[in-house]
Amino acid sequence: MAYITVEQVDSLLGSEWADASAKPLAVQQANDWLTAKGVPVDVDDERITRAGAYLSKMAAAGTLYADSDGDVKSERVKADTVEVETSFQDGSRAVAGDMLYIRDLLRPWLNPFGSSVRILSRL
């Protein structure tokens, strides 16, 4: 089941929110994002539909799962002879937007502690 369809996004945002060929993937990414965030799929709420429409628009623009340079701790800009310095949080690292999308798709099966080892127990 999906939170939002291409037709619903077209109805809410108009048909020009994205190229026709980009719409199905954008809507799929919006639905996957909502699923990964734990939004209940069985709730019929207009706010979820609206959020899905705007998430679809972001996905079509490439900003829903955009590449990240990491978490910025501080940034310094010097105007004369142009100088820019950026410091990142300790342990922060760049993450590709596609990897963020993949993590959301696989969230139900990924260990929240980052280990690839799972503990299985008998019932």
Side-chain angles (χ1 to χ4, degrees), residues 28-38 55 64-66 95-110:
Q28 183 62 56
Q29 286 186 339
N31 283 311
D32 291 335
W33 189 94
L34 289 164
T35 299
K37 302 308 179 222
L55 287 166
L64 181 59
Y65 288 101
V95 178
D98 286 344
M99 182 53 71
L100 294 173
Y101 183 50
I102 291 165
R103 284 182 188 163
D104 276 352
L105 288 173
L106 300 177
R107 186 172 310 279
W109 299 280
L110 296 177

Side-chain angles (χ1 to χ4, degrees), residues 9-64:
V9 179
D10 284 345
S11 173
L12 289 167
L13 302 180
S15 62
E16 300 299 317
W17 63 272
D19 290 335
S21 62
K23 289 180 179 183
L25 178 60
V27 168
Q28 183 62 56
Q29 286 186 339
N31 283 311
D32 291 335
W33 189 94
L34 289 164
T35 299
K37 302 308 179 222
V39 176
V41 74
D42 58 346
V43 175
D44 185 20
D45 192 315
E46 182 260 337
R47 294 172 295 180
I48 295 173
T49 305
R50 256 194 347 257
Y54 281 94
L55 287 166
S56 298
K57 183 178 178 181
M58 289 178 67
T63 58
L64 181 59

